[in-house]
Short mmCIF file of all heavy atoms in Angstrom, two decimals:
data_model
loop_
_atom_site.label_atom_id
_atom_site.label_comp_id
_atom_site.label_asym_id
_atom_site.label_seq_id
_atom_site.Cartn_x
_atom_site.Cartn_y
_atom_site.Cartn_z
N SER D 258 42.88 -167.15 -71.38
CA SER D 258 42.68 -168.60 -71.30
C SER D 258 43.96 -169.36 -71.00
O SER D 258 43.93 -170.56 -70.78
CB SER D 258 42.10 -169.10 -72.63
OG SER D 258 43.08 -168.96 -73.65
N ALA D 262 48.51 -165.62 -77.08
CA ALA D 262 47.69 -164.67 -77.82
C ALA D 262 48.20 -164.61 -79.25
O ALA D 262 49.41 -164.66 -79.50
CB ALA D 262 47.76 -163.30 -77.16
N SER D 265 48.11 -159.44 -83.87
CA SER D 265 47.30 -158.85 -84.94
C SER D 265 48.03 -159.05 -86.26
O SER D 265 49.26 -158.97 -86.32
CB SER D 265 47.10 -157.35 -84.69
OG SER D 265 46.41 -157.16 -83.48
N LYS D 278 54.45 -160.41 -105.81
CA LYS D 278 54.07 -160.04 -107.19
C LYS D 278 54.29 -161.22 -108.13
O LYS D 278 53.46 -161.51 -108.98
CB LYS D 278 54.87 -158.83 -107.66
CG LYS D 278 54.42 -157.53 -107.09
CD LYS D 278 55.25 -156.38 -107.69
CE LYS D 278 54.83 -155.07 -107.14
NZ LYS D 278 55.64 -153.97 -107.67
N ALA D 280 54.29 -164.43 -107.37
CA ALA D 280 53.28 -165.46 -107.09
C ALA D 280 51.94 -165.10 -107.72
O ALA D 280 51.24 -165.96 -108.26
CB ALA D 280 53.13 -165.65 -105.59
N THR D 284 49.99 -167.24 -110.60
CA THR D 284 48.58 -167.61 -110.38
C THR D 284 47.73 -167.13 -111.55
O THR D 284 46.87 -167.88 -112.05
CB THR D 284 48.07 -167.03 -109.06
OG1 THR D 284 48.89 -167.50 -108.00
CG2 THR D 284 46.62 -167.41 -108.81
N SER D 328 31.65 -162.37 -113.50
CA SER D 328 31.74 -161.11 -112.76
C SER D 328 31.61 -161.39 -111.27
O SER D 328 31.49 -162.56 -110.86
CB SER D 328 30.61 -160.16 -113.20
OG SER D 328 29.37 -160.62 -112.68
N LEU D 332 27.23 -166.73 -110.03
CA LEU D 332 27.05 -167.81 -109.06
C LEU D 332 27.68 -169.07 -109.62
O LEU D 332 27.49 -169.41 -110.79
CB LEU D 332 25.56 -168.04 -108.79
CG LEU D 332 24.80 -166.85 -108.21
CD1 LEU D 332 23.33 -167.22 -108.03
CD2 LEU D 332 25.40 -166.43 -106.89
N THR D 341 31.54 -179.68 -96.19
CA THR D 341 32.23 -179.12 -95.04
C THR D 341 31.29 -178.26 -94.20
O THR D 341 31.42 -178.22 -92.97
CB THR D 341 33.46 -178.28 -95.44
OG1 THR D 341 33.03 -177.22 -96.30
CG2 THR D 341 34.50 -179.13 -96.15
N SER D 349 29.62 -177.98 -84.47
CA SER D 349 29.31 -176.78 -83.68
C SER D 349 28.17 -177.06 -82.72
O SER D 349 28.21 -176.68 -81.55
CB SER D 349 28.94 -175.61 -84.60
OG SER D 349 30.04 -175.20 -85.35
N ASP D 353 28.47 -177.19 -78.48
CA ASP D 353 27.70 -176.37 -77.53
C ASP D 353 26.65 -177.18 -76.78
O ASP D 353 25.83 -176.63 -76.05
CB ASP D 353 27.10 -175.13 -78.20
CG ASP D 353 25.93 -175.42 -79.13
OD1 ASP D 353 25.38 -176.55 -79.12
OD2 ASP D 353 25.54 -174.50 -79.87
N PRO D 367 11.93 -187.85 -86.14
CA PRO D 367 11.14 -189.08 -86.08
C PRO D 367 10.87 -189.73 -87.44
O PRO D 367 10.76 -190.94 -87.54
CB PRO D 367 9.84 -188.63 -85.41
CG PRO D 367 10.21 -187.41 -84.65
CD PRO D 367 11.30 -186.75 -85.45
N GLY D 368 10.81 -188.95 -88.50
CA GLY D 368 10.56 -189.51 -89.83
C GLY D 368 11.78 -190.16 -90.47
O GLY D 368 11.69 -190.73 -91.55
N GLY D 392 25.73 -196.25 -94.31
CA GLY D 392 25.14 -197.33 -95.09
C GLY D 392 24.09 -196.84 -96.07
O GLY D 392 23.55 -197.62 -96.86
N VAL D 416 19.42 -199.73 -96.69
CA VAL D 416 20.81 -199.34 -96.59
C VAL D 416 21.63 -200.42 -97.31
O VAL D 416 21.19 -201.56 -97.44
CB VAL D 416 21.26 -199.18 -95.11
CG1 VAL D 416 20.56 -198.00 -94.46
CG2 VAL D 416 21.07 -200.45 -94.32
N GLY D 430 23.45 -188.97 -97.73
CA GLY D 430 23.71 -188.77 -96.31
C GLY D 430 24.06 -187.33 -95.98
O GLY D 430 23.55 -186.77 -95.01
N LEU D 438 19.72 -180.77 -90.08
CA LEU D 438 20.27 -179.87 -89.06
C LEU D 438 19.63 -178.51 -89.17
O LEU D 438 19.40 -177.83 -88.22
CB LEU D 438 21.79 -179.77 -89.17
CG LEU D 438 22.56 -181.02 -88.76
CD1 LEU D 438 24.04 -180.82 -89.02
CD2 LEU D 438 22.33 -181.34 -87.29
#
Side-chain angles (χ1 to χ4, degrees):
S258 67
S265 299
K278 284 183 180 178
T284 302
S328 72
L332 299 179
T341 59
S349 293
D353 72 12
V416 293
L438 289 176

